[in-house]
Amino acid sequence: MDNDASHRVLDPERDSAALKALTHPLRLRLLGLLRQHGPATASELAVRTGESSASTSYHLRVLAKYAFVAEAEHRDGRERRWKAVHSVTTTSSAAMLATPAGRSMLVLGRRRQIEHLQETLDRHEADIEAGRLGEEWHDSSGIDDLMPRLTPESLRELQDTIRAKVAELTGRDEHDPRAERVVLLTAGLPLARTGPGEPAGDASGTGTAT
């Protein structure tokens, strides 16, 4: 997929310095916060992350250097606000896995996504407990744990279909006042067979859908 207003595609060779900038866990977290919650100052992000404002300010400048964030608002005598430039950043997994440095960066990014899922689950459960989400969301929300057997081509088709459908529905609901931010984390991680004749998996996974 090519770059557009909301999606940035990084090339592991051409954009190696930019990818390296994302290997710092705090930078990944700052970028995620700006994407999820909108523009913020270094001081505001320091409160959210438990870091010093000097630290968040430094890492925001690094992210700005490589065009992940940009100045959203700057008023004389007031602290500047930062915004995320793109809502999604991707790269070719095959290209990343071709080098040790690329593999390290890919693993770090995936681990941060898992951490984000845990943070999201904690917040979702707190919102339910506090009554901040209406009952109309209960049936549609949840986590599916599936393990279908697919070919590489089918897995690619599935991922492309999900992205296209998300874009379609996001556009449809853009101006609906009932719409809320939904964290949708998908994973397609093939598992090699570990023994002769052993199936790679079935469609049920652990049998959980919560």
Side-chain angles (χ1 to χ4, degrees):
M1 184 181 294
D2 297 329
N3 292 314
D4 58 35
S6 63
H7 188 177
R8 181 181 180 186
V9 182
L10 297 178
D11 179 88
E13 294 187 7
R14 185 186 66 243
D15 303 310
S16 59
L19 282 166
K20 186 175 181 180
L22 287 182
T23 60
H24 195 289
L26 180 55
R27 289 175 203 154
L28 280 175
R29 189 175 182 191
L30 293 174
L31 183 57
L33 287 170
L34 291 175
R35 286 175 171 173
Q36 185 174 359
H37 301 293
T41 67
S43 295
E44 291 168 343
L45 292 169
V47 172
R48 288 180 177 177
T49 60
E51 301 285 338
S52 69
S53 58
S55 178
T56 55
S57 180
Y58 167 75
H59 289 296
L60 285 166
R61 290 196 300 271
V62 175
L63 289 171
K65 177 181 178 181
Y66 295 105
F68 293 110
V69 305
E71 190 172 339
E73 178 184 355
H74 185 59
R75 301 173 183 172
D76 293 340
R78 299 189 182 184
E79 189 177 5
R80 71 178 63 183
R81 300 183 71 79
W82 297 93
K83 66 179 180 179
V85 176
H86 302 92
S87 59
V88 178
T89 302
T90 61
T91 188
S92 166
S93 293
M96 293 289 284
L97 291 170
T99 66
R103 287 195 292 273
S104 296
M105 286 185 275
L106 188 64
V107 168
L108 177 63
R110 288 176 173 176
R111 296 298 177 186
R112 177 57 195 139
Q113 288 173 317
I114 296 300
E115 291 172 4
H116 182 220
L117 178 59
Q118 181 62 61
E119 293 166 2
T120 300
L121 179 59
D122 292 343
R123 178 176 170 182
H124 170 74
E125 291 176 344
D127 287 342
I128 292 292
E129 184 68 24
R132 289 187 290 266
L133 285 174
E135 292 185 3
E136 67 273 16
W137 288 100
H138 292 183
D139 283 340
S140 58
S141 64
I143 300 174
D144 291 327
D145 180 9
L146 306 175
M147 292 184 66
R149 297 188 65 188
L150 301 172
T151 63
E153 294 78 15
S154 293
L155 180 56
R156 177 77 268 173
E157 180 181 343
L158 177 60
Q159 292 172 332
D160 290 343
T161 301
I162 291 172
R163 292 190 183 101
K165 193 64 178 181
V166 169
E168 174 193 336
L169 297 177
T170 299
R172 188 184 73 182
D173 294 348
E174 182 178 5
H175 301 296
D176 192 322
R178 299 173 303 141
E180 299 285 2
R181 175 76 66 180
V182 174
V183 174
L184 180 66
L185 181 63
T186 63
L189 305 174
L191 303 176
R193 303 183 189 191
T194 57
E198 181 182 344
D202 57 34
S204 63
T206 62
T208 59
T210 58

